[in-house]
């Protein structure tokens, strides 16, 4: 079983202990602008639950939360006006992917032509 560290920065954002630039929130997820944006629009969507990565979220989260989370991703992109031009979503899981924050999150990138999927 994966151990969740509730001192991570996104847990603190969820608890309202540190601020974020919120883009969307519902019962299942919070979306906020990345502090170091890699595209004109770069938003992170996090579930309201103690999951380290996609690995334990996909295995252990209740179906309502998984559904609600992905609906929140779509709603966030729509609210940000990204549906017409398109957007990219990305999730880093573990060391090889350079996951920095141990609370499952999905990146939404958009606002320009994003080029090829992987740079290197
Ligand atoms: P990852 O490498 O997938 O774990 O991505 C973590 C992301 O979190 C990076 O893009 C960081 O810029 C972003 N980040 C870290 N701290 C904050 C914060 N306090 N508010 C918003 N984004 C953050």
């Amino acid at each position: 079983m994966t151990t969740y560290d509730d001192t991570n920065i996104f847990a603190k954002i969820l608890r309202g202990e540190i601020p974020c630039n919120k883009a969307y929130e519902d019962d299942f997820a919070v979306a906020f602008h990345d502090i170091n944006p890699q595209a004109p629009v770069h938003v992170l969507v996090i579930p309201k639950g103690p999951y380290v990565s996609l690995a334990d979220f996909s295995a252990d989260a209740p179906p309502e939360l998984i559904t609600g989370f992905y609906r929140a991703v779509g709603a966030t992109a729509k609210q940000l006006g990204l549906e017409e031009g398109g957007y990219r979503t990305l999730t880093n899981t573990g060391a090889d992917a350079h996951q920095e924050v141990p609370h499952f999150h999905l990146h939404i990138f958009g606002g320009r032509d994003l080029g090829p999927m992987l740079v290197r």
Side-chain angles (χ1 to χ4, degrees):
M1 187 174 146
T2 314
T3 304
Y4 179 80
D5 173 8
D6 71 0
T7 66
N8 78 75
I9 194 114
F10 293 171
K12 290 178 181 174
I13 287 175
L14 265 187
R15 291 194 296 267
E17 293 170 5
I18 63 166
C20 69
N21 183 5
K22 203 173 284 183
Y24 178 87
E25 180 170 16
D26 63 20
D27 289 346
F28 303 102
V30 178
F32 51 91
H33 292 269
D34 197 290
I35 205 165
N36 183 23
Q38 307 296 311
V41 179
H42 182 178
V43 165
L44 303 167
V45 190
I46 65 175
K48 290 185 173 179
Y51 302 97
V52 174
S53 73
L54 181 65
D56 59 330
F57 183 71
S58 61
D60 303 332
E64 309 77 50
L65 182 56
I66 294 174
T67 302
F69 175 76
Y70 281 101
R71 288 200 199 285
V73 172
T76 301
K78 185 172 186 176
Q79 188 167 294
L80 290 166
L82 297 176
E83 277 195 346
E84 187 179 345
Y87 57 94
R88 177 171 294 154
T89 62
L90 179 148
T91 293
N92 293 316
T93 304
D96 277 0
H98 294 234
Q99 181 180 358
E100 291 171 12
V101 180
H103 181 110
F104 171 50
H105 52 281
L106 181 147
H107 299 252
I108 300 176
F109 303 100
R112 64 165 165 80
D113 183 326
L114 295 165
M117 190 165 63
L118 293 174
V119 178
R120 62 190 164 108

